[in-house]
Amino acid sequence: MNVTEALWNRRTVRAFLDRPVPRETVEAILSAALRTPSWANTQPWEIWVAAGEVLERIRRASLERTHAKVPSHPDLPFPGGWPEVCRERTKQLTAGRAQVAGTTPEDPAFHRDFLEANRRFFGAPCVVYLCMDRSLGHWSMFDLGAMAQSIMLAAQDHGVDSAIAINMVCYPDLLRKELAIPAELAIVIGIGLGYADPLGPEDSFRSERRPLPEVVRFVGY
Ligand SMILES: Cc1cc2nc3c(=O)[nH]c(=O)nc-3n(C[C@H](O)[C@H](O)[C@H](O)COP(=O)(O)O)c2cc1C
């Protein structure tokens, strides 16, 4: 698969098959992704990969807390709010997801099921956690974003689907306990890896994008 195909094919998979991703495959994906550029080659990322019984313990604990309505407390807090134009795009995303699930955004069960699916990491058999030292700033976060996309594109090349989700890191104390992630590292984001379940409720869903002429201004071209 070439990079353009990987860019078009990647999507957030919200239902994975119960089929493990071999360690060699994850290593091949991450080896390629480690070629990601960073500010002056600072390579600010620290990466943990969880699978098997450890991931099952994290998943169970995450679900227990979700059912007990324990508030989430990610190392990077949720934004306080979004501009109206962004909120509108999120509304469109939710409406589209609800439509393919055969319901509407007004349906409380739809939101409950979505939270539940998030907190069980969509059944991903493997989760990659991107971390960085808490003292680092915006530019290192920029580098981590690039790393995240590299991982997801390299995964596509290996026939592996992905789901990037803040909900995978919203109880960081659980992750520190199970994975021995040091306190001085912020656990920024989780990326689930696995194989999409073609029978998943949202498998046919594709999020929309703003059209190129709205986003891009060509000057002197
Ligand atoms: C930083 C970040 C955090 C995200 N967190 C979640 C999440 O917690 N749950 C979820 O279902 N999707 C999450 N997503 C996925 C986005 O909703 C998704 O990328 C967006 O709707 C575009 O859809 P696509 O990835 O299928 O192209 C996250 C994406 C990013 C980049």
Side-chain angles (χ1 to χ4, degrees):
M1 181 180 293
N2 68 36
V3 180
T4 304
E5 282 169 345
L7 281 162
W8 283 105
N9 289 345
R10 187 216 56 82
R11 66 200 161 97
T12 300
V13 162
R14 296 191 172 93
F16 289 93
L17 293 171
D18 181 14
R19 173 181 158 203
V21 185
R23 178 172 169 151
E24 309 79 69
T25 306
V26 180
E27 282 187 4
I29 291 167
L30 294 178
S31 297
L34 287 177
R35 296 305 304 170
T36 299
S38 59
W39 182 292
N41 210 19
T42 42
Q43 304 173 69
W45 36 72
E46 301 294 339
I47 300 179
W48 269 258
V49 184
E53 188 44 44
V54 180
L55 183 59
E56 291 319 311
R57 277 203 301 274
I58 297 169
R59 203 188 315 269
R60 273 198 300 275
S62 160
L63 276 173
E64 275 168 23
R65 287 193 186 188
T66 301
H67 295 152
K69 298 194 180 352
V70 176
S72 68
H73 51 87
D75 285 345
L76 265 67
F78 279 43
W82 294 95
E84 179 53 30
V85 66
C86 293
R87 279 209 305 274
E88 194 46 49
R89 290 178 199 133
T90 300
K91 254 196 232 165
Q92 280 174 17
L93 172 76
T94 307
R97 287 187 31 253
Q99 194 182 22
V100 297
T103 184
T104 67
E106 287 72 41
D107 176 5
F110 170 67
H111 296 283
R112 192 197 53 222
D113 292 351
F114 184 56
L115 182 65
E116 167 105 12
N118 265 278
R119 298 296 174 78
R120 56 185 297 277
F121 321 142
F122 310 115
C126 165
V127 178
V128 176
Y129 300 96
L130 299 191
C131 309
M132 72 176 203
D133 195 281
R134 291 181 194 270
S135 66
L136 296 170
H138 293 318
W139 287 108
S140 299
M141 192 58 74
F142 185 95
D143 298 341
L144 250 70
M147 169 57 81
Q149 175 75 331
S150 293
I151 291 171
M152 293 187 283
L153 294 182
Q156 285 299 128
D157 189 38
H158 286 269
V160 173
D161 295 301
S162 60
I164 183 166
I166 185 68
N167 273 284
M168 295 191 189
V169 298
C170 66
Y171 296 123
D173 57 309
L174 284 180
L175 302 173
R176 288 205 167 78
K177 184 174 140 232
E178 291 290 352
L179 304 173
I181 300 176
E184 63 269 23
L185 297 185
I187 306 173
V188 175
I189 200 79
I191 303 174
L193 297 179
Y195 304 94
D197 180 353
L199 301 178
E202 286 188 23
D203 194 63
S204 63
F205 177 71
R206 297 293 178 275
S207 58
E208 300 204 341
R209 291 296 187 272
R210 299 164 63 198
L212 184 136
E214 182 190 309
V215 180
V216 182
R217 292 86 178 159
F218 287 96
V219 181
Y221 204 84

